[in-house]
Amino acid sequence: MRDKPMFNKLALIGIGLIGSSISHVVRREGLVGSIAVSTRSDQTLARAEVLGLGDHYTTNAADAVVDADLIIHCAPVGAGAAIAEQIAPALKPGAIVTDVGSVKASVIAQMKPHMPKGVHFIAGHPVAGTEYSGPDAGFASLFENHWVILTPEDDVDETALDTLKQFWQACGANVDVMEASHHDLVLAITSHIPQLISYNIVDTAANLESVTQSEVMKYSAGGFRDFTRLASSDPTMWRDIYLHNKDAVLETLGRFSEDLTAMQRAIRWGDGDALFKIFTRTRQIRKDIIAVGQETDSPNFGRNEPLE
Amino acid sequence: MRDKPMFNKLALIGIGLIGSSISHVVRREGLVGSIAVSTRSDQTLARAEVLGLGDHYTTNAADAVVDADLIIHCAPVGAGAAIAEQIAPALKPGAIVTDVGSVKASVIAQMKPHMPKGVHFIAGHPVAGTEYSGPDAGFASLFENHWVILTPEDDVDETALDTLKQFWQACGANVDVMEASHHDLVLAITSHIPQLISYNIVDTAANLESVTQSEVMKYSAGGFRDFTRLASSDPTMWRDIYLHNKDAVLETLGRFSEDLTAMQRAIRWGDGDALFKIFTRTRQIRKDIIAVGQETDSPNFGRNEPLE
């Protein structure tokens, strides 16, 4: 706990996994004086109140941002324009507005035009999460040792940018700064395509006539079960990501499909050497990810097996 | 520990993750009188001896099977024919010969023609594993609560089949019996295709010019890191699986690619409803897998985060 909070008032627009995790960590670290929680859903808002995630609760985002020094859009990326339009008239001069979405160019295009003069808009993305969603899913250590990417534009106020960096560092994260278009490409390969092929393999398995669902489940330890984790993530959030990062996703998916076709051809023609070569070079990458502290070296992710 | 072992002598041909795990569990449960360990590699054999995985050690599989009641081929599936040919003259009448490979029709075709009269050949596959390989990777609880699939043919000796079932149950596994061709189709979707697309996404990411390897690693918590687990599995084992389950893999891969193309088209045309529908139905499958005890419900597989 610090002597003095970094911000007098934080407004969280959206209170799912990320919003609720921010609430937990800023409380633990004493980073803000008070938290206003806003969400369009009465039910979610009521749940957030039961969990004590804020000090004020409202379904009206404009009410939440009054007097707030830091406003974080934690709703699906497709909601950016509507939220920006709604909150703009109520924003305090000097306030910092940011977001947590997995797409940055679209969020900037949606929100920045609405921002009043004197308000600092800086798009951001904490690269952390779980397969669970909603206000119950959050926890204070979610961002710890993970990376937050900020994508300020050329006209950014450097003091505001420094303040936002310090905020995320105080939440336990490392901070990187890059261009929005580059972020969207990097996340396409590190997140959006992995997620898409997880959804796809799970859906393909669900629709096979020749293999029963019971068989898919019983023998899922052969590898399939790993993919069901990502494929159980929030559908609205992910729909919005694909709709708003279309170009980078399609470009990267094209590369994935091209490589997959080459692998398919190697299998068809019995080219074991080509397969062996690929399977050998992919081995190293996990070791590197473990070395940079982004993955566990425990077998099977440290799943406690046998399962109950 | 039981009073009396089920088998006087077990021969393990191959001593990687599965072979060493069998050694650990049969010792813990007192299932065999002695274990002969055989592998072609001097280095692996020496390591197995240091680990104390057997009672006899040899690079000659024929020597290992002399007087053995149970022989388990734990080498890559491509080695089946050579091993069968080599051990056939030394097999004891009444012995049970089985294997642990992820492909069954090919292993039967490779091994069964070599089996002498009076020897019981029953192909099998424990659906369990980790991303680690080699004699150090094994542990006694690997098979616990997971499924072993046996694929006997019509002429199987029912007593031998029952004995083999009891053996795997004594190792902690559940046992299913099905036709080899069906096994190969089921495993294509639950294991071989998930594995293939893991290798593929990791390789695609490694070859992008526009995104650095450092970026891929730092932001891998966005989903990518999950795939690196499977993609760090043993290259020889997996090369053999694709070469020996070609038809089922190509058929299932065709379905996967067809579904992926449909998803790609939905993204290109901005069809959010189609995406939302797929992302919603895939959510349930993980819940079902957790319900049948084949997966953990801990967020992120129970990875202990923050990582050191």
Side-chain angles (χ1 to χ4, degrees):
Chain A
M1 285 288 272
R2 49 184 64 211
D3 295 344
K4 198 171 159 295
M6 288 182 70
F7 299 96
N8 283 323
K9 182 181 170 187
L10 164 68
L12 295 171
I13 318 294
I15 191 75
L17 168 67
I18 302 293
S20 60
S21 293
I22 293 173
S23 168
H24 288 298
V25 68
V26 301
R27 286 257 171 92
R28 190 188 69 187
E29 300 297 323
L31 300 180
V32 304
S34 72
I35 303 174
V37 171
S38 168
T39 167
R40 288 192 310 176
S41 154
D42 289 327
Q43 203 183 336
T44 306
L45 193 69
R47 185 64 198 158
E49 192 161 2
V50 168
L51 295 166
L53 297 172
D55 302 290
H56 317 285
Y57 301 90
T58 173
T59 53
N60 184 337
D63 288 347
V65 306
V66 170
D67 285 329
D69 313 286
L70 177 64
I71 297 93
I72 312 182
H73 155 28
C74 306
V77 291
I83 288 171
E85 192 175 3
Q86 196 187 355
I87 65 175
L91 289 168
K92 183 168 88 168
I96 296 173
V97 178
T98 187
D99 79 308
V100 299
S102 194
V103 181
K104 297 275 61 77
S106 166
V107 167
I108 294 170
Q110 287 181 69
M111 298 189 76
K112 212 180 166 206
H114 295 284
M115 292 297 118
K117 222 180 146 173
V119 166
H120 308 296
F121 177 77
I122 303 166
H125 176 209
V127 185
T130 79
E131 65 275 30
Y132 291 96
S133 48
D136 285 273
F139 51 97
S141 66
L142 178 63
F143 310 110
E144 220 162 301
N145 203 30
H146 286 303
W147 289 87
V148 171
I149 301 172
L150 300 179
T151 60
E153 297 199 282
D154 291 344
D155 61 354
V156 70
D157 179 290
E158 292 293 340
T159 309
L161 178 59
D162 277 346
T163 304
L164 190 57
K165 277 186 196 171
Q166 285 164 29
F167 171 78
W168 279 114
Q169 284 161 350
C171 292
N174 308 308
V175 178
D176 262 346
V177 172
M178 65 178 72
E179 290 203 356
S181 59
H182 188 61
H183 166 279
D184 292 354
L185 191 63
V186 170
L187 268 289
I189 187 65
T190 56
S191 177
H192 307 169
I193 297 301
Q195 181 75 35
L196 193 74
I197 64 180
S198 295
Y199 278 129
N200 195 64
I201 184 77
V202 174
D203 199 48
T204 301
N207 292 319
L208 288 179
E209 312 81 21
S210 47
V211 177
T212 68
Q213 288 311 292
S214 162
E215 288 171 329
V216 169
M217 288 177 235
K218 281 161 75 175
Y219 313 126
S220 61
F224 178 77
R225 62 179 176 167
D226 282 19
F227 296 75
T228 64
R229 188 183 83 76
L230 292 178
S232 70
S233 304
D234 184 48
T236 306
M237 180 181 103
W238 281 102
R239 178 201 61 198
D240 279 10
I241 287 170
Y242 296 112
L243 297 179
H244 290 269
N245 196 25
K246 187 163 93 169
D247 292 346
V249 164
L250 290 177
E251 161 69 20
T252 313
L253 186 54
R255 293 288 291 256
F256 173 85
S257 296
E258 198 175 299
D259 292 345
L260 191 61
T261 301
M263 230 183 247
Q264 180 172 343
R265 190 171 185 278
I267 293 171
R268 192 177 301 279
W269 291 93
D271 187 351
D273 291 345
L275 297 174
F276 186 82
K277 204 170 144 190
I278 296 168
F279 300 172
T280 303
R281 68 184 180 226
T282 56
R283 246 188 157 172
Q284 184 59 38
I285 294 187
R286 185 170 181 83
K287 289 183 188 152
D288 296 341
I289 292 176
I290 292 167
V292 298
Q294 292 298 311
E295 181 57 296
T296 174
D297 64 355
S298 301
N300 279 326
F301 305 113
R303 280 180 181 109
N304 285 320
E305 295 197 284
L307 302 160
E308 301 301 321
Chain B
M1 286 287 274
R2 48 184 65 212
D3 294 345
K4 199 174 159 291
M6 289 182 70
F7 300 96
N8 283 323
K9 183 181 170 186
L10 164 67
L12 296 171
I13 317 294
I15 193 74
L17 167 68
I18 302 292
S20 60
S21 292
I22 293 173
S23 168
H24 288 297
V25 66
V26 300
R27 286 256 171 92
R28 189 187 69 187
E29 299 297 323
L31 300 179
V32 304
S34 72
I35 304 173
V37 171
S38 167
T39 168
R40 288 193 310 175
S41 153
D42 290 326
Q43 202 183 337
T44 307
L45 194 68
R47 184 66 197 157
E49 193 161 2
V50 168
L51 295 165
L53 296 172
D55 301 291
H56 317 284
Y57 301 90
T58 173
T59 52
N60 185 337
D63 289 347
V65 306
V66 170
D67 286 330
D69 313 286
L70 177 63
I71 297 92
I72 312 182
H73 155 27
C74 306
V77 292
I83 289 171
E85 194 176 0
Q86 194 187 357
I87 65 175
L91 290 168
K92 184 168 85 168
I96 296 173
V97 177
T98 187
D99 79 309
V100 299
S102 193
V103 180
K104 297 275 61 77
S106 166
V107 167
I108 294 170
Q110 288 181 69
M111 298 188 78
K112 212 181 165 206
H114 295 286
M115 293 296 118
K117 223 179 145 173
V119 166
H120 308 297
F121 177 76
I122 303 167
H125 176 209
V127 185
T130 79
E131 67 274 30
Y132 291 96
S133 48
D136 286 271
F139 52 96
S141 66
L142 178 63
F143 310 110
E144 221 161 301
N145 203 31
H146 287 304
W147 289 87
V148 171
I149 301 173
L150 301 178
T151 60
E153 297 198 281
D154 291 343
D155 61 353
V156 70
D157 179 289
E158 292 293 340
T159 308
L161 178 59
D162 278 347
T163 303
L164 189 57
K165 277 186 198 171
Q166 286 164 31
F167 170 78
W168 278 115
Q169 285 162 351
C171 291
N174 308 308
V175 178
D176 263 346
V177 172
M178 65 177 71
E179 291 204 356
S181 59
H182 188 62
H183 166 279
D184 291 354
L185 192 62
V186 170
L187 269 289
I189 187 67
T190 56
S191 177
H192 307 169
I193 298 301
Q195 180 75 38
L196 193 73
I197 64 180
S198 296
Y199 278 129
N200 196 64
I201 184 78
V202 174
D203 199 47
T204 300
N207 293 319
L208 288 179
E209 311 80 22
S210 47
V211 177
T212 68
Q213 289 312 291
S214 162
E215 288 172 328
V216 168
M217 289 177 236
K218 281 161 75 176
Y219 313 125
S220 61
F224 178 76
R225 62 178 177 169
D226 283 19
F227 295 75
T228 64
R229 188 184 81 77
L230 291 178
S232 69
S233 304
D234 184 49
T236 306
M237 181 181 101
W238 281 103
R239 177 201 62 198
D240 279 12
I241 288 171
Y242 296 113
L243 297 179
H244 290 269
N245 197 24
K246 186 163 92 169
D247 292 346
V249 164
L250 290 177
E251 160 68 21
T252 313
L253 185 54
R255 292 290 290 258
F256 173 85
S257 296
E258 198 174 299
D259 292 344
L260 190 62
T261 301
M263 230 183 248
Q264 181 172 342
R265 189 171 186 280
I267 293 171
R268 192 177 301 278
W269 291 92
D271 188 350
D273 291 345
L275 296 174
F276 186 81
K277 206 170 144 190
I278 296 169
F279 300 173
T280 303
R281 68 184 179 227
T282 56
R283 244 187 159 173
Q284 184 58 39
I285 294 187
R286 186 169 181 84
K287 290 182 188 154
D288 296 341
I289 293 176
I290 292 168
V292 300
Q294 292 297 312
E295 182 56 296
T296 175
D297 64 355
S298 300
N300 279 328
F301 305 114
R303 278 180 182 111
N304 286 321
E305 295 196 287
L307 300 160
E308 303 299 323

